[in-house]
Structures are given as structure tokens and as C-alpha cells.
Amino acid sequence: MKILITGGGGFLGFKLARVLLARGALGGKPITSLTLLDGAFPSAAAQESRCKLVTGDVADAKILASVCPPDTDAVFHLAAVVSGAAEADFELGMRVNLKGMELLLERMRQCAKPPRLVYTSAVAAFGGSLPPVLDDSTIANPQTSYGAQKVIGEYLVADYSRKGFVDGRSLRLPTIVVRAGKPNAAASSFASGIIREPLNGVVSDCPVPPETGVWLLSPRRVVEAFIHAWELPPEAWGTQRWLNLPGITASVAQMVEALRRVAGDEVAKRVVYKADARIQAIVKTWPVNFRTPRALAMGFKADSDVESIIRDYIADENIKFA
């Protein structure tokens, strides 16, 4: 089993790599090769000798040829210019999120047999006038460049799958909380920041009002979802190759209150509301409430509550807070 993870140096990509290595197999077959592609890697990656680390651009056809040889079996495509950055730099978002997607699919089409692909999309696929609760019949109507690029990627994955070039599956991710490490350029970065930074003894400036709702999923659950999505047989997907992942809805105020219950008043007081009109304009287009019967019927799982997400983060990252 030869596996490629694009965006393998990111928090989720590297977490996925570690879980796969711990399992030793994917789809019941031993993992013989695991290649990670990214623009940069965390220092911990250099200590992981079981991975091949390739520093490069996902929109570079020569790089893709080197990391996706003809006998590649599995691809997890996580590489992306995230929401805030894609909105601020249109050309960069188009090059990485769209051209990179096209080049990767074309490279996979050259493989000896159709590789199985898991593509990470996002709830940024939705926007505009939305029903109070979205479900599997809600039409994608992105209101950001990032969302538009992700939806185009979904359509490409579906068509390449229809043609038999790849066996693709697109997952629309909720906001992933709590992401370890430093804040990134995603408009949703605050959702992790209001938990992560206070636990690290740092004040977190929250750019949105406390009543702002967010559709959440933990890193543990999303990595489980990546693997589960890959291991499902093609007939489980049928002709609908995209999926809204299950999650939980919480307001910023509820997240801070959960932090208070887990870590105490002094930690929770480190969240400071500091309005940012640019971030608010992006976040307010995103949906908050979902029904995900298809995903649940296919075996995908949500977290139980925000407190459990915070406790899992503390345990996984060995956080010592005060």
C-alpha cells in the first residue's frame, strides 16, 4: 500500500500520517510507503524515519510526478490555501486550490490503476440565503473564493470518478477545533485560538461576537473520518461523491464557557473580544446548523460536546495549563 498525503506537514496531515503509521495498514493492506508533500514540515517530522518528506509545491507538475508514482494506491489531498488567505490573495488561492487540484487529478489518471482519493472540502461550500438547518439536499452556493475553489474541486473529483480515472471521495469539513501549533490564515482560526492560546497562558483576541455560532469537529474525529472515508467501498458512495461530515454546533460564548468548566476562570478570562470586520464578513456567510443523516448512516461520527473536545486536545498535546 503506497500512500501520498498532500499537506502532510500541516497539523492534520501530520496527525493523519502518525495514525496511519501506528495502524500499519489501510484497507486491510500493509502500508509499504508513506510520502508527505508540503511547503514545510514541523521539526517532529524529521524524526519520523518511516515517512518520505518532500518539500515542494502541489501546483508543480514535476513535484507531483515525483511523489505520485504510477503504483500509488491512496491519496489524501489536504494541501490548500485556507479561507482568509485565499480571499486576500485570489491568484494564490486559484493556483494552489484549483490548479493544484487539477494537476493532482491528472497525475493520478496516469497511475496503473485508479488510486483512491480522499479530498478535503469545507462547509465554506455553502453561503448566501440558507435554511435554518442545512441537510444533504442543500445546494452549494459559496460566497468566498476559497469556497468556490473547493466546490469546483468536488465536481472534478466526482467527474474523474465517474470516468473511472480515480475513486474519489470529498469530505466537507466543519471547523476543526482544537488545532495545535500557531494560528494560521484561516478565517476560522479564532475557533481554535480561543481555546489553545488561553490554555498556553496567552491572551486570545476573538474577532467575532460571542453569539457567533460554529459547526465543529475535533482533530481526532476528522482523522478517523479521513481513514473511514477511504476504507468505505465505492458502492457506499454511489454517484454522490461528496459528503457533509457530522459535527456539533456551539457559539463562541458556549466554547468559552466549556473552557471555563475544564480549565477555570483565569484561563477563560484570557479570551478578549476584539472585532475584525474582515473576518466577521467571511464567517457570517458560513452555515452553523446541519443535519447529516447520510454521513451518520455511513458510519461517520461527531464529538459528544465541546468539553470533550477540549479535554481530548489537552490529553493529545500534553497541555499543562495554569
Side-chain angles (χ1 to χ4, degrees), residues 262-302:
V262 171
D265 290 345
E266 291 305 312
V267 171
K269 287 178 182 177
R270 294 174 186 145
V271 178
V272 176
Y273 293 98
K274 188 175 181 180
D276 183 320
R278 183 183 69 87
I279 297 297
Q280 290 184 20
I282 295 173
V283 172
K284 73 179 183 181
T285 70
W286 295 347
V288 176
N289 298 296
F290 283 82
R291 281 193 299 266
T292 57
R294 182 168 179 251
L296 294 172
M298 291 170 69
F300 294 93
K301 298 177 181 178

mmCIF file of all heavy atoms in Angstrom, residues 262-302:
data_model
loop_
_atom_site.group_PDB
_atom_site.id
_atom_site.type_symbol
_atom_site.label_atom_id
_atom_site.label_comp_id
_atom_site.label_asym_id
_atom_site.label_seq_id
_atom_site.Cartn_x
_atom_site.Cartn_y
_atom_site.Cartn_z
ATOM 1 N N VAL A 262 -13.575 23.397 32.106
ATOM 2 C CA VAL A 262 -12.437 22.472 32.056
ATOM 3 C C VAL A 262 -11.212 23.050 32.768
ATOM 4 O O VAL A 262 -10.532 22.351 33.525
ATOM 5 C CB VAL A 262 -12.081 22.128 30.596
ATOM 6 C CG1 VAL A 262 -10.779 21.341 30.526
ATOM 7 C CG2 VAL A 262 -13.210 21.343 29.938
ATOM 8 N N ALA A 263 -10.929 24.340 32.527
ATOM 9 C CA ALA A 263 -9.637 24.907 32.946
ATOM 10 C C ALA A 263 -9.738 26.006 33.988
ATOM 11 O O ALA A 263 -8.713 26.445 34.514
ATOM 12 C CB ALA A 263 -8.892 25.429 31.719
ATOM 13 N N GLY A 264 -10.941 26.500 34.260
ATOM 14 C CA GLY A 264 -11.086 27.502 35.309
ATOM 15 C C GLY A 264 -11.273 28.915 34.790
ATOM 16 O O GLY A 264 -11.044 29.213 33.606
ATOM 17 N N ASP A 265 -11.657 29.810 35.720
ATOM 18 C CA ASP A 265 -11.969 31.189 35.374
ATOM 19 C C ASP A 265 -10.785 31.951 34.795
ATOM 20 O O ASP A 265 -10.930 32.704 33.825
ATOM 21 C CB ASP A 265 -12.479 31.942 36.613
ATOM 22 C CG ASP A 265 -13.857 31.472 37.056
ATOM 23 O OD1 ASP A 265 -14.526 30.789 36.254
ATOM 24 O OD2 ASP A 265 -14.251 31.791 38.185
ATOM 25 N N GLU A 266 -9.600 31.794 35.403
ATOM 26 C CA GLU A 266 -8.453 32.582 34.975
ATOM 27 C C GLU A 266 -8.071 32.282 33.530
ATOM 28 O O GLU A 266 -7.670 33.184 32.784
ATOM 29 C CB GLU A 266 -7.261 32.333 35.912
ATOM 30 C CG GLU A 266 -7.458 32.898 37.309
ATOM 31 C CD GLU A 266 -7.795 34.385 37.298
ATOM 32 O OE1 GLU A 266 -7.072 35.139 36.591
ATOM 33 O OE2 GLU A 266 -8.765 34.776 37.952
ATOM 34 N N VAL A 267 -8.173 31.024 33.150
ATOM 35 C CA VAL A 267 -7.867 30.658 31.760
ATOM 36 C C VAL A 267 -8.907 31.255 30.823
ATOM 37 O O VAL A 267 -8.578 31.864 29.797
ATOM 38 C CB VAL A 267 -7.798 29.124 31.603
ATOM 39 C CG1 VAL A 267 -7.697 28.743 30.126
ATOM 40 C CG2 VAL A 267 -6.613 28.560 32.367
ATOM 41 N N ALA A 268 -10.190 31.122 31.154
ATOM 42 C CA ALA A 268 -11.260 31.623 30.289
ATOM 43 C C ALA A 268 -11.207 33.134 30.134
ATOM 44 O O ALA A 268 -11.586 33.676 29.082
ATOM 45 C CB ALA A 268 -12.615 31.196 30.835
ATOM 46 N N LYS A 269 -10.728 33.847 31.157
ATOM 47 C CA LYS A 269 -10.651 35.311 31.100
ATOM 48 C C LYS A 269 -9.640 35.798 30.059
ATOM 49 O O LYS A 269 -9.613 36.997 29.737
ATOM 50 C CB LYS A 269 -10.282 35.878 32.469
ATOM 51 C CG LYS A 269 -11.415 35.821 33.495
ATOM 52 C CD LYS A 269 -10.946 36.361 34.835
ATOM 53 C CE LYS A 269 -12.045 36.271 35.884
ATOM 54 N NZ LYS A 269 -11.567 36.728 37.223
ATOM 55 N N ARG A 270 -8.810 34.909 29.555
ATOM 56 C CA ARG A 270 -7.815 35.304 28.559
ATOM 57 C C ARG A 270 -8.411 35.467 27.156
ATOM 58 O O ARG A 270 -7.697 35.839 26.221
ATOM 59 C CB ARG A 270 -6.670 34.286 28.537
ATOM 60 C CG ARG A 270 -5.881 34.274 29.836
ATOM 61 C CD ARG A 270 -4.839 33.172 29.873
ATOM 62 N NE ARG A 270 -4.208 33.121 31.191
ATOM 63 C CZ ARG A 270 -3.810 32.009 31.800
ATOM 64 N NH1 ARG A 270 -3.954 30.830 31.186
ATOM 65 N NH2 ARG A 270 -3.270 32.050 32.989
ATOM 66 N N VAL A 271 -9.701 35.169 26.995
ATOM 67 C CA VAL A 271 -10.377 35.437 25.727
ATOM 68 C C VAL A 271 -10.900 36.863 25.752
ATOM 69 O O VAL A 271 -11.684 37.230 26.623
ATOM 70 C CB VAL A 271 -11.541 34.459 25.489
ATOM 71 C CG1 VAL A 271 -12.258 34.802 24.178
ATOM 72 C CG2 VAL A 271 -11.037 33.020 25.451
ATOM 73 N N VAL A 272 -10.447 37.677 24.794
ATOM 74 C CA VAL A 272 -10.821 39.085 24.715
ATOM 75 C C VAL A 272 -11.488 39.326 23.363
ATOM 76 O O VAL A 272 -10.941 38.959 22.320
ATOM 77 C CB VAL A 272 -9.586 39.999 24.861
ATOM 78 C CG1 VAL A 272 -9.973 41.454 24.689
ATOM 79 C CG2 VAL A 272 -8.912 39.771 26.211
ATOM 80 N N TYR A 273 -12.666 39.927 23.372
ATOM 81 C CA TYR A 273 -13.385 40.195 22.130
ATOM 82 C C TYR A 273 -12.861 41.475 21.486
ATOM 83 O O TYR A 273 -12.875 42.547 22.082
ATOM 84 C CB TYR A 273 -14.888 40.300 22.395
ATOM 85 C CG TYR A 273 -15.473 38.972 22.834
ATOM 86 C CD1 TYR A 273 -15.681 38.693 24.178
ATOM 87 C CD2 TYR A 273 -15.782 37.990 21.897
ATOM 88 C CE1 TYR A 273 -16.195 37.469 24.583
ATOM 89 C CE2 TYR A 273 -16.288 36.760 22.290
ATOM 90 C CZ TYR A 273 -16.496 36.511 23.636
ATOM 91 O OH TYR A 273 -16.993 35.295 24.019
ATOM 92 N N LYS A 274 -12.340 41.317 20.267
ATOM 93 C CA LYS A 274 -11.753 42.433 19.527
ATOM 94 C C LYS A 274 -12.206 42.299 18.072
ATOM 95 O O LYS A 274 -11.666 41.494 17.311
ATOM 96 C CB LYS A 274 -10.220 42.389 19.633
ATOM 97 C CG LYS A 274 -9.516 43.607 19.064
ATOM 98 C CD LYS A 274 -8.013 43.513 19.336
ATOM 99 C CE LYS A 274 -7.278 44.728 18.797
ATOM 100 N NZ LYS A 274 -5.814 44.638 19.062
ATOM 101 N N ALA A 275 -13.204 43.080 17.702
ATOM 102 C CA ALA A 275 -13.869 42.922 16.410
ATOM 103 C C ALA A 275 -12.911 43.093 15.233
ATOM 104 O O ALA A 275 -12.042 43.965 15.240
ATOM 105 C CB ALA A 275 -15.020 43.922 16.293
ATOM 106 N N ASP A 276 -13.089 42.218 14.225
ATOM 107 C CA ASP A 276 -12.344 42.309 12.970
ATOM 108 C C ASP A 276 -13.372 42.185 11.850
ATOM 109 O O ASP A 276 -13.905 41.092 11.604
ATOM 110 C CB ASP A 276 -11.296 41.192 12.888
ATOM 111 C CG ASP A 276 -10.431 41.279 11.637
ATOM 112 O OD1 ASP A 276 -10.965 41.592 10.563
ATOM 113 O OD2 ASP A 276 -9.224 41.011 11.728
ATOM 114 N N ALA A 277 -13.659 43.282 11.183
ATOM 115 C CA ALA A 277 -14.724 43.301 10.185
ATOM 116 C C ALA A 277 -14.453 42.335 9.034
ATOM 117 O O ALA A 277 -15.383 41.713 8.495
ATOM 118 C CB ALA A 277 -14.907 44.724 9.644
ATOM 119 N N ARG A 278 -13.192 42.189 8.635
ATOM 120 C CA ARG A 278 -12.863 41.287 7.518
ATOM 121 C C ARG A 278 -13.192 39.850 7.876
ATOM 122 O O ARG A 278 -13.823 39.130 7.092
ATOM 123 C CB ARG A 278 -11.376 41.414 7.162
ATOM 124 C CG ARG A 278 -10.945 40.564 5.973
ATOM 125 C CD ARG A 278 -9.452 40.679 5.728
ATOM 126 N NE ARG A 278 -8.687 40.043 6.781
ATOM 127 C CZ ARG A 278 -8.365 38.741 6.794
ATOM 128 N NH1 ARG A 278 -8.759 37.939 5.807
ATOM 129 N NH2 ARG A 278 -7.638 38.244 7.773
ATOM 130 N N ILE A 279 -12.789 39.411 9.062
ATOM 131 C CA ILE A 279 -13.069 38.045 9.497
ATOM 132 C C ILE A 279 -14.568 37.845 9.680
ATOM 133 O O ILE A 279 -15.137 36.821 9.257
ATOM 134 C CB ILE A 279 -12.316 37.721 10.806
ATOM 135 C CG1 ILE A 279 -10.809 37.784 10.587
ATOM 136 C CG2 ILE A 279 -12.729 36.352 11.337
ATOM 137 C CD1 ILE A 279 -10.268 36.778 9.606
ATOM 138 N N GLN A 280 -15.230 38.820 10.289
ATOM 139 C CA GLN A 280 -16.670 38.704 10.502
ATOM 140 C C GLN A 280 -17.421 38.569 9.184
ATOM 141 O O GLN A 280 -18.376 37.794 9.074
ATOM 142 C CB GLN A 280 -17.184 39.908 11.284
ATOM 143 C CG GLN A 280 -16.731 39.935 12.734
ATOM 144 C CD GLN A 280 -17.338 41.102 13.515
ATOM 145 O OE1 GLN A 280 -18.343 41.653 13.110
ATOM 146 N NE2 GLN A 280 -16.719 41.450 14.630
ATOM 147 N N ALA A 281 -16.987 39.301 8.165
ATOM 148 C CA ALA A 281 -17.658 39.246 6.869
ATOM 149 C C ALA A 281 -17.567 37.859 6.243
ATOM 150 O O ALA A 281 -18.506 37.403 5.568
ATOM 151 C CB ALA A 281 -17.055 40.291 5.926
ATOM 152 N N ILE A 282 -16.449 37.177 6.457
ATOM 153 C CA ILE A 282 -16.286 35.824 5.924
ATOM 154 C C ILE A 282 -17.081 34.821 6.753
ATOM 155 O O ILE A 282 -17.853 34.010 6.223
ATOM 156 C CB ILE A 282 -14.794 35.426 5.895
ATOM 157 C CG1 ILE A 282 -14.021 36.314 4.909
ATOM 158 C CG2 ILE A 282 -14.634 33.956 5.509
ATOM 159 C CD1 ILE A 282 -12.511 36.106 4.946
ATOM 160 N N VAL A 283 -16.919 34.891 8.068
ATOM 161 C CA VAL A 283 -17.514 33.886 8.953
ATOM 162 C C VAL A 283 -19.037 33.924 8.898
ATOM 163 O O VAL A 283 -19.695 32.879 8.975
ATOM 164 C CB VAL A 283 -17.005 34.083 10.399
ATOM 165 C CG1 VAL A 283 -17.742 33.179 11.370
ATOM 166 C CG2 VAL A 283 -15.500 33.811 10.460
ATOM 167 N N LYS A 284 -19.605 35.108 8.740
ATOM 168 C CA LYS A 284 -21.068 35.202 8.767
ATOM 169 C C LYS A 284 -21.727 34.538 7.555
ATOM 170 O O LYS A 284 -22.934 34.298 7.566
ATOM 171 C CB LYS A 284 -21.506 36.660 8.864
ATOM 172 C CG LYS A 284 -21.328 37.475 7.599
ATOM 173 C CD LYS A 284 -21.817 38.906 7.808
ATOM 174 C CE LYS A 284 -21.717 39.727 6.524
ATOM 175 N NZ LYS A 284 -22.175 41.115 6.737
ATOM 176 N N THR A 285 -20.945 34.214 6.525
ATOM 177 C CA THR A 285 -21.504 33.507 5.363
ATOM 178 C C THR A 285 -21.568 32.009 5.581
ATOM 179 O O THR A 285 -22.165 31.302 4.771
ATOM 180 C CB THR A 285 -20.675 33.790 4.099
ATOM 181 O OG1 THR A 285 -19.394 33.142 4.190
ATOM 182 C CG2 THR A 285 -20.465 35.278 3.886
ATOM 183 N N TRP A 286 -20.941 31.517 6.638
ATOM 184 C CA TRP A 286 -20.849 30.078 6.843
ATOM 185 C C TRP A 286 -22.048 29.540 7.609
ATOM 186 O O TRP A 286 -22.557 30.178 8.543
ATOM 187 C CB TRP A 286 -19.579 29.729 7.610
ATOM 188 C CG TRP A 286 -18.325 30.034 6.858
ATOM 189 C CD1 TRP A 286 -18.209 30.332 5.530
ATOM 190 C CD2 TRP A 286 -17.000 30.088 7.391
ATOM 191 N NE1 TRP A 286 -16.894 30.563 5.205
ATOM 192 C CE2 TRP A 286 -16.133 30.418 6.329
ATOM 193 C CE3 TRP A 286 -16.461 29.884 8.651
ATOM 194 C CZ2 TRP A 286 -14.760 30.546 6.492
ATOM 195 C CZ3 TRP A 286 -15.096 30.018 8.823
ATOM 196 C CH2 TRP A 286 -14.258 30.335 7.750
ATOM 197 N N PRO A 287 -22.495 28.334 7.267
ATOM 198 C CA PRO A 287 -23.619 27.730 7.976
ATOM 199 C C PRO A 287 -23.220 27.240 9.360
ATOM 200 O O PRO A 287 -22.052 26.966 9.625
ATOM 201 C CB PRO A 287 -24.001 26.562 7.074
ATOM 202 C CG PRO A 287 -22.727 26.196 6.379
ATOM 203 C CD PRO A 287 -22.000 27.497 6.174
ATOM 204 N N VAL A 288 -24.224 27.113 10.228
ATOM 205 C CA VAL A 288 -23.967 26.750 11.622
ATOM 206 C C VAL A 288 -24.656 25.450 12.026
ATOM 207 O O VAL A 288 -24.123 24.673 12.819
ATOM 208 C CB VAL A 288 -24.423 27.896 12.555
ATOM 209 C CG1 VAL A 288 -24.259 27.514 14.018
ATOM 210 C CG2 VAL A 288 -23.637 29.172 12.254
ATOM 211 N N ASN A 289 -25.849 25.204 11.464
ATOM 212 C CA ASN A 289 -26.644 24.043 11.880
ATOM 213 C C ASN A 289 -26.836 23.084 10.706
ATOM 214 O O ASN A 289 -27.264 23.488 9.622
ATOM 215 C CB ASN A 289 -28.012 24.498 12.399
ATOM 216 C CG ASN A 289 -27.898 25.384 13.618
ATOM 217 O OD1 ASN A 289 -27.436 24.953 14.664
ATOM 218 N ND2 ASN A 289 -28.300 26.642 13.477
ATOM 219 N N PHE A 290 -26.542 21.810 10.950
ATOM 220 C CA PHE A 290 -26.657 20.783 9.926
ATOM 221 C C PHE A 290 -27.425 19.565 10.440
ATOM 222 O O PHE A 290 -27.374 19.249 11.639
ATOM 223 C CB PHE A 290 -25.266 20.278 9.516
ATOM 224 C CG PHE A 290 -24.498 21.184 8.598
ATOM 225 C CD1 PHE A 290 -23.790 22.265 9.104
ATOM 226 C CD2 PHE A 290 -24.464 20.957 7.239
ATOM 227 C CE1 PHE A 290 -23.058 23.089 8.277
ATOM 228 C CE2 PHE A 290 -23.719 21.780 6.389
ATOM 229 C CZ PHE A 290 -23.015 22.847 6.914
ATOM 230 N N ARG A 291 -28.074 18.893 9.519
ATOM 231 C CA ARG A 291 -28.495 17.509 9.714
ATOM 232 C C ARG A 291 -27.673 16.680 8.745
ATOM 233 O O ARG A 291 -27.606 17.006 7.560
ATOM 234 C CB ARG A 291 -29.992 17.325 9.434
ATOM 235 C CG ARG A 291 -30.910 17.776 10.548
ATOM 236 C CD ARG A 291 -32.341 17.274 10.324
ATOM 237 N NE ARG A 291 -32.877 17.811 9.075
ATOM 238 C CZ ARG A 291 -33.607 18.923 8.998
ATOM 239 N NH1 ARG A 291 -33.883 19.613 10.090
ATOM 240 N NH2 ARG A 291 -34.065 19.347 7.836
ATOM 241 N N THR A 292 -27.054 15.610 9.222
ATOM 242 C CA THR A 292 -26.154 14.817 8.372
ATOM 243 C C THR A 292 -26.538 13.336 8.399
ATOM 244 O O THR A 292 -25.727 12.476 8.759
ATOM 245 C CB THR A 292 -24.700 14.997 8.835
ATOM 246 O OG1 THR A 292 -24.607 14.629 10.231
ATOM 247 C CG2 THR A 292 -24.238 16.436 8.666
ATOM 248 N N PRO A 293 -27.762 12.996 8.012
ATOM 249 C CA PRO A 293 -28.192 11.592 8.091
ATOM 250 C C PRO A 293 -27.367 10.647 7.219
ATOM 251 O O PRO A 293 -27.106 9.510 7.603
ATOM 252 C CB PRO A 293 -29.657 11.646 7.640
ATOM 253 C CG PRO A 293 -29.773 12.904 6.836
ATOM 254 C CD PRO A 293 -28.826 13.867 7.485
ATOM 255 N N ARG A 294 -26.954 11.119 6.041
ATOM 256 C CA ARG A 294 -26.180 10.240 5.153
ATOM 257 C C ARG A 294 -24.842 9.890 5.783
ATOM 258 O O ARG A 294 -24.431 8.721 5.789
ATOM 259 C CB ARG A 294 -25.977 10.914 3.798
ATOM 260 C CG ARG A 294 -25.213 10.045 2.785
ATOM 261 C CD ARG A 294 -25.289 10.638 1.395
ATOM 262 N NE ARG A 294 -24.546 9.830 0.445
ATOM 263 C CZ ARG A 294 -23.395 10.189 -0.131
ATOM 264 N NH1 ARG A 294 -22.855 11.374 0.152
ATOM 265 N NH2 ARG A 294 -22.784 9.394 -0.985
ATOM 266 N N ALA A 295 -24.148 10.894 6.311
ATOM 267 C CA ALA A 295 -22.844 10.641 6.926
ATOM 268 C C ALA A 295 -22.971 9.708 8.124
ATOM 269 O O ALA A 295 -22.169 8.785 8.302
ATOM 270 C CB ALA A 295 -22.208 11.959 7.356
ATOM 271 N N LEU A 296 -23.988 9.927 8.950
ATOM 272 C CA LEU A 296 -24.173 9.084 10.133
ATOM 273 C C LEU A 296 -24.503 7.656 9.716
ATOM 274 O O LEU A 296 -24.009 6.690 10.327
ATOM 275 C CB LEU A 296 -25.275 9.666 11.018
ATOM 276 C CG LEU A 296 -24.939 11.028 11.657
ATOM 277 C CD1 LEU A 296 -26.170 11.607 12.346
ATOM 278 C CD2 LEU A 296 -23.787 10.900 12.656
ATOM 279 N N ALA A 297 -25.327 7.507 8.680
ATOM 280 C CA ALA A 297 -25.674 6.162 8.201
ATOM 281 C C ALA A 297 -24.458 5.449 7.621
ATOM 282 O O ALA A 297 -24.377 4.212 7.663
ATOM 283 C CB ALA A 297 -26.773 6.256 7.147
ATOM 284 N N MET A 298 -23.494 6.207 7.110
ATOM 285 C CA MET A 298 -22.285 5.623 6.539
ATOM 286 C C MET A 298 -21.210 5.366 7.597
ATOM 287 O O MET A 298 -20.137 4.864 7.273
ATOM 288 C CB MET A 298 -21.742 6.538 5.445
ATOM 289 C CG MET A 298 -22.623 6.582 4.200
ATOM 290 S SD MET A 298 -22.155 7.879 3.007
ATOM 291 C CE MET A 298 -20.580 7.257 2.419
ATOM 292 N N GLY A 299 -21.492 5.713 8.844
ATOM 293 C CA GLY A 299 -20.573 5.380 9.927
ATOM 294 C C GLY A 299 -19.665 6.493 10.400
ATOM 295 O O GLY A 299 -18.800 6.258 11.250
ATOM 296 N N PHE A 300 -19.842 7.713 9.887
ATOM 297 C CA PHE A 300 -19.058 8.840 10.373
ATOM 298 C C PHE A 300 -19.633 9.323 11.702
ATOM 299 O O PHE A 300 -20.832 9.190 11.960
ATOM 300 C CB PHE A 300 -19.072 9.978 9.349
ATOM 301 C CG PHE A 300 -18.367 9.640 8.062
ATOM 302 C CD1 PHE A 300 -19.080 9.121 6.984
ATOM 303 C CD2 PHE A 300 -17.004 9.844 7.924
ATOM 304 C CE1 PHE A 300 -18.436 8.804 5.793
ATOM 305 C CE2 PHE A 300 -16.349 9.526 6.732
ATOM 306 C CZ PHE A 300 -17.067 9.004 5.671
ATOM 307 N N LYS A 301 -18.782 9.892 12.555
ATOM 308 C CA LYS A 301 -19.194 10.248 13.905
ATOM 309 C C LYS A 301 -18.814 11.685 14.249
ATOM 310 O O LYS A 301 -17.789 12.203 13.806
ATOM 311 C CB LYS A 301 -18.553 9.310 14.925
ATOM 312 C CG LYS A 301 -18.964 7.848 14.765
ATOM 313 C CD LYS A 301 -18.240 6.964 15.759
ATOM 314 C CE LYS A 301 -18.625 5.500 15.583
ATOM 315 N NZ LYS A 301 -17.885 4.620 16.534
ATOM 316 N N ALA A 302 -19.661 12.306 15.082
ATOM 317 C CA ALA A 302 -19.375 13.633 15.620
ATOM 318 C C ALA A 302 -18.855 13.498 17.044
ATOM 319 O O ALA A 302 -18.897 12.418 17.645
ATOM 320 C CB ALA A 302 -20.644 14.486 15.603
#
